[in-house]
Amino acid sequence: MKFAIATALLAACASAVEMKACSGTDMSGSCTAKTSLGSKSGTWKSYNFRASTNRCVRVCNGCTSLGWRCQSYSNNNISFNKFIIFDWAGGSGPDATTCC
């Protein structure tokens, strides 16, 4: 029983992800967070991305990709209006995501 609980906890942690984006620089202003795969649109100037294995984020401004990260990362002065959280595993790498 303890082994099953520990295994379930490890599996949940292995896919953990959070993208927090804020309207002001240095993580100030109004902030929003997403903890699942998919995209979110808004108007932001900073972000903090935390991820575990195989979770990545692409950051966009309009149809222009500003890049992608698969490790935890913060940027305190960047203008963007969309982010896409995707799963690297199973062939769904960055080429499977586009800004438009």
Side-chain angles (χ1 to χ4, degrees):
M1 177 80 166
K2 288 181 183 179
F3 178 75
I5 292 170
T7 302
L9 182 60
L10 286 174
C13 291
S15 62
V17 64
E18 180 186 54
M19 174 66 165
K20 182 178 180 182
C22 298
S23 62
T25 59
D26 298 319
M27 300 302 290
S28 65
S30 177
C31 299
T32 186
K34 183 165 178 59
T35 57
S36 59
L37 299 178
S39 65
K40 192 163 192 107
S41 296
T43 302
W44 303 294
K45 293 188 177 176
S46 57
Y47 70 86
N48 183 356
F49 178 65
R50 293 182 309 143
S52 59
T53 305
N54 293 328
R55 297 291 190 243
C56 307
V57 67
R58 178 179 297 281
V59 177
C60 306
N61 194 22
C63 291
T64 302
S65 174
L66 301 177
W68 52 271
R69 298 277 179 175
C70 292
Q71 296 178 341
S72 295
Y73 186 78
S74 292
N75 191 323
N76 289 317
N77 190 9
I78 182 173
S79 292
F80 65 107
N81 61 12
K82 182 178 182 180
F83 62 84
I84 307 162
I85 299 173
F86 61 95
D87 189 356
W88 187 274
S92 300
D95 291 338
T97 64
T98 59
C99 292
C100 288

